[in-house]
Amino acid sequence: MHWSLNFGTIDDKALEAMEIAGKTANDLDIPVILDPVGVGATAYRTEQVKELLSKVTFQIIRGNASEILSLIGGDTVTRGVDSEELAVSNAELAARAANKLNCIVVVSGAKDAVSDGKRTSIIDNGNLLLTNVTGTGCMSTALIGTFSGVTDDFYSAAIAGISTMSISGELAAKNLQKDEGTGTFRVRLIDAISRMDKEIWMHEVKMNEEVPN
């Protein structure tokens, strides 16, 4: 079991519910995953997510680079749910945020990065079409949560979840025809996720791990 808290459609009532749910999960030793959608886009989102972080312990946080940088006080601008070009790499940002937030951090992007602050894995799968399908970020968080619900190894769960999405994106795009577009890709993406297993994952994943000296 896991609980995911998503900032996609946020207001005061939703925040109150998230706090209650998060604290309850903490008391029951249920892993809690945070998706800080749009944090950095408005002062309200940024202030409220920091308030939530002070009250709930999260095992994993997943966001794009701009959202994660905003969480740790960086100077950036988030446009909707997309991020600007940042000077810092996803791997460096994930490690920095993991140390500051004291949890596993996943930074999604062209190269996804997962860090616990001591080691960082970079996943070099995916396809640009993933950015054309609304909700793939939130789906990635849900996948991470699914894996975290069956293991205490949240670092591995985060890797498995985010890489399942990126690998599935590659597989979905592989055989698209010239007259097929985003709609076909979306269906094939969901199909690929549903068919994912150990053998497919091991064959397709492109990953390396960095351990600081």
Side-chain angles (χ1 to χ4, degrees):
M1 180 183 294
H2 79 281
W3 290 3
S4 295
L5 304 185
N6 187 297
F7 258 60
T9 52
I10 200 69
D11 56 27
D12 289 345
K13 288 185 178 180
L15 283 165
E16 182 181 0
M18 285 185 183
E19 181 181 338
I20 294 170
K23 288 180 176 179
T24 301
N26 288 166
D27 290 341
L28 297 174
D29 291 325
I30 296 171
V32 190
I33 321 301
L34 174 65
D35 191 328
V37 179
V39 167
T42 67
Y44 177 79
R45 284 179 178 269
T46 305
E47 291 166 4
Q48 294 303 324
V49 77
K50 290 181 178 179
E51 180 72 12
L52 189 64
L53 284 168
S54 72
K55 296 177 178 178
V56 176
T57 299
F58 292 93
Q59 280 65 49
I60 306 172
I61 299 175
R62 186 220 65 85
N64 66 33
S66 189
E67 291 162 348
I68 297 300
L69 190 59
S70 294
L71 281 185
I72 60 173
D75 183 17
T76 185
V77 177
T78 302
R79 298 190 178 97
V81 295
D82 296 319
S83 61
E84 291 184 321
E85 291 291 327
L86 302 178
V88 64
S89 71
N90 284 356
E92 182 182 347
L93 177 58
R96 186 191 306 175
N99 281 313
K100 184 164 185 177
L101 300 171
N102 196 31
C103 67
I104 308 298
V105 172
V106 182
V107 180
S108 55
K111 290 188 179 182
D112 302 315
V114 179
S115 183
D116 62 3
K118 297 178 180 178
R119 51 190 172 156
T120 303
S121 289
I122 301 100
I123 298 99
D124 192 14
N125 292 97
N127 186 278
L128 188 60
L129 281 172
L130 284 167
T131 63
N132 295 340
V133 178
T134 301
T136 53
C138 296
M139 289 167 65
S140 297
T141 302
L143 287 167
I144 290 168
T146 300
F147 284 100
S148 69
V150 295
T151 179
D152 292 330
D153 183 355
F154 300 123
Y155 181 73
S156 294
I159 291 171
I162 194 67
S163 61
T164 292
M165 174 58 73
S166 57
I167 291 168
S168 296
E170 279 191 359
L171 295 174
K174 187 173 291 186
N175 296 313
L176 279 180
Q177 304 299 310
K178 290 183 178 181
D179 61 344
E180 296 175 332
T182 307
T184 302
F185 173 78
R186 177 180 177 276
V187 172
R188 290 185 181 177
L189 173 65
I190 295 172
D191 285 344
I193 292 170
S194 71
R195 291 196 302 265
M196 186 63 62
D197 59 22
K198 178 181 178 180
E199 286 70 30
I200 295 173
W201 189 90
M202 291 291 291
H203 183 265
E204 298 291 340
V205 69
K206 304 166 188 171
M207 180 176 65
N208 62 79
E209 185 175 274
E210 296 180 353
V211 179
N213 295 326

